[in-house]
Amino acid sequence: MAKIKMTTPLVEMDGDEMTRIIWQMIKDELICPFVELNTEYYDLGLPERERTRDKVTFDSAYATQKYGVAVKCATITPNKQRVEEYNLSEMWKSPNGTIRAILDGTVFRSPIIIDSIKPVVRNWKKPITIARHAYGDVYKATEYRVPTKGTATLSFKGEDGTEFSKTIYDFECPGVLQGQYNKDSSIISFAHSCFKYAIATKQDLWFSTKDTISKQYDQTFKLIFEDIYNKEYKAKFEELGITYFYTLIDDAVARVIRSEGGYIWACKNYDGDVMSDMVSTAFGSLAMMTSVLVSPDGKFEYEAAHGTVTRHYYKHLKGEVTSTNPMATIYAWSGALRKRGELDGLADLVDFADKLEAACIKTLDDGIMTKDLVGLVDDGVKVTSVNTLEFIKAIRERLATTV
Ligand code: NAP
Ligand code: MG
């Protein structure tokens, strides 16, 4: 059988620990037998980041800017313990943070859903994708404990001489104080990424803030989205039959719970942090959450939402066979290959990505699954619990009958 050809390299970012092991299995069993894989390879594993003084991470992000599509394995974000474990010369920054800063992107997370695992919210039938603005607000806030009676003011000094100052509160007792900010440029990028991703996935886009209470801050988010939508995306949305819909965050929460799913929910930074944990937990398992970073100029970086699964890796190192779920990492590959195929006009590559995902779903529908899912399936469904490689091989068997 002739392998499927690729015309443009896919940026491949390898990673750490258990997911690095799974990465190789996926390539060996599910990709390379079928596709003449053309990647530009960057090893983001911690030893190589240390060796290159993290240059490799920057290079991989620049390559993504150049080629437009990347697939990333989970990577260790060093902390004190990792600095010792890997004998690091510096506590290198989170690769995801570095890549996100360079691509100026927004992260979209959606669950992979299967028939035998019912979401906790019974009426959810389709995935709900959370788009989280990953810049500013409470994550970059300045805060104080107010120790005593006194006056707090909010002031600004412009380069051009603009000045304003307002009393926040006359404290009659101790309390707390916090200053937050965001930037128009970042909100504009967030909006473009959301509208572009809605078009790319042909889904409705919801956006929610608390603009009735936050009449300048949240209102700015609302107005920027509205303006960009009307000027640049409305026609395309109408042509595709999808809608852009703004509502208050409280109303959004109620509507989300009552909905069937099948849309993108864009959230400010804090709302997105909280809501993505709610949505992923209600859908089932972290191992089934996919994640894609979309830049405002339409570059895509696909990955799993989970980390390097350290606990399983230590077992693996002791020679134990693990039942780590590779689904989200496989979907990172299928997502990236599909996008590459779409951009390069390679129908057979797009078709392969669809078939790979279908083979994964078929395997799970046949009751073959990793341990983490076994406890989640509906009563009465017959399941076979397998290890990672057995699971991947079962997918390969099904895939081979369709390509
Ligand atoms: P994690 O790797 O997501 O794993 C946490 C736990 O969730 C695991 O111990 C496992 O539970 C379960 N789990 C996650 N993915 C699974 C899968 N595919 N199959 C089965 N079970 C799965 O989070 P962590 O242990 O907090 O972090 C480990 C490392 O990953 C850290 O160094 C962190 O910096 C890094 N990290 C990287 C990224 C990224 O690159 N995007 C994201 C998050 C964390 P059981 O042990 O109960 O089976
Ligand atoms: Mg969180």
Side-chain angles (χ1 to χ4, degrees), residues 209-227:
T209 73
K210 192 73 177 174
D211 66 293
T212 48
I213 299 297
S214 172
K215 291 194 170 64
Q216 296 292 328
Y217 201 110
D218 281 18
Q219 176 83 341
T220 296
F221 280 78
K222 177 186 170 177
L223 294 178
I224 285 176
F225 265 69
E226 208 169 276
D227 183 51

Side-chain angles (χ1 to χ4, degrees), residues 132 139 272-274 276-277:
R132 172 182 170 191
Y139 300 86
D273 186 354
V274 176
S276 68
D277 278 2

Side-chain angles (χ1 to χ4, degrees), residues 57 72 77 93-104 293:
T57 307
K72 181 181 171 293
T77 298
K93 293 236 166 70
S94 149
N96 287 52
T98 301
I99 295 165
R100 198 159 59 211
I102 292 171
L103 295 178
D104 188 18
L293 175 72

Side-chain angles (χ1 to χ4, degrees), residues 72 74-75 77 82 96 287 303 306-312 325:
K72 181 181 171 293
T75 47
T77 298
R82 297 297 198 168
N96 287 52
E303 62 179 319
H306 60 77
T308 59
V309 211
T310 310
R311 231 174 53 86
H312 295 206
N325 188 339

Side-chain angles (χ1 to χ4, degrees), residues 224-367:
I224 285 176
F225 265 69
E226 208 169 276
D227 183 51
I228 291 177
Y229 174 69
N230 286 328
K231 282 196 187 126
E232 297 187 45
Y233 296 99
K234 194 163 187 265
K236 188 71 191 171
F237 268 56
E238 283 170 3
E239 183 194 320
L240 290 173
I242 57 177
T243 54
Y244 168 61
F245 167 63
Y246 175 86
T247 187
L248 267 183
I249 179 93
D250 341 26
D251 180 51
V253 168
R255 284 172 188 264
V256 163
I257 297 297
R258 285 196 307 262
S259 78
E260 278 205 343
Y263 49 84
I264 299 160
W265 181 12
C267 293
K268 286 179 59 202
N269 208 351
Y270 175 80
D271 299 342
D273 186 354
V274 176
M275 292 307 160
S276 68
D277 278 2
M278 183 198 71
V279 168
S280 64
T281 307
F283 270 110
S285 163
L286 184 58
M288 298 284 271
M289 282 302 278
T290 66
S291 183
V292 56
L293 175 72
V294 182
S295 77
D297 57 348
K299 315 284 191 229
F300 294 77
E301 182 245 305
Y302 292 84
E303 62 179 319
H306 60 77
T308 59
V309 211
T310 310
R311 231 174 53 86
H312 295 206
Y313 182 60
Y314 290 153
K315 283 192 182 168
H316 167 85
L317 289 181
K318 278 195 258 164
E320 288 175 42
V321 176
T322 72
S323 182
T324 317
N325 188 339
M327 281 291 289
T329 307
I330 298 173
Y331 270 59
W333 275 97
S334 58
L337 291 173
R338 179 185 296 109
K339 181 53 70 182
R340 196 63 277 164
E342 284 169 3
L343 293 176
D344 296 345
L346 304 173
D348 49 354
L349 194 59
V350 174
D351 182 55
F352 173 77
D354 292 344
K355 285 175 172 161
L356 175 54
E357 289 178 5
C360 291
I361 299 297
K362 176 84 174 74
T363 307
L364 292 171
D365 283 346
D366 289 344

Side-chain angles (χ1 to χ4, degrees), residues 152-206:
T153 53
L154 187 63
S155 62
F156 174 81
K157 233 189 202 130
E159 254 188 5
D160 63 354
T162 315
E163 277 194 41
F164 51 75
S165 183
K166 248 190 193 172
T167 299
I168 298 172
Y169 192 63
D170 280 318
F171 282 90
E172 72 283 359
C173 66
V176 284
L177 193 59
Q178 183 182 69
Q180 294 188 24
Y181 73 92
N182 222 302
K183 303 189 295 188
D184 283 5
S185 59
S186 176
I187 304 167
I188 289 167
S189 294
F190 175 44
H192 280 293
S193 297
C194 289
F195 290 123
K196 285 215 163 74
Y197 194 65
I199 288 167
T201 59
K202 300 185 188 64
Q203 295 185 89
D204 291 346
L205 175 67
W206 299 14

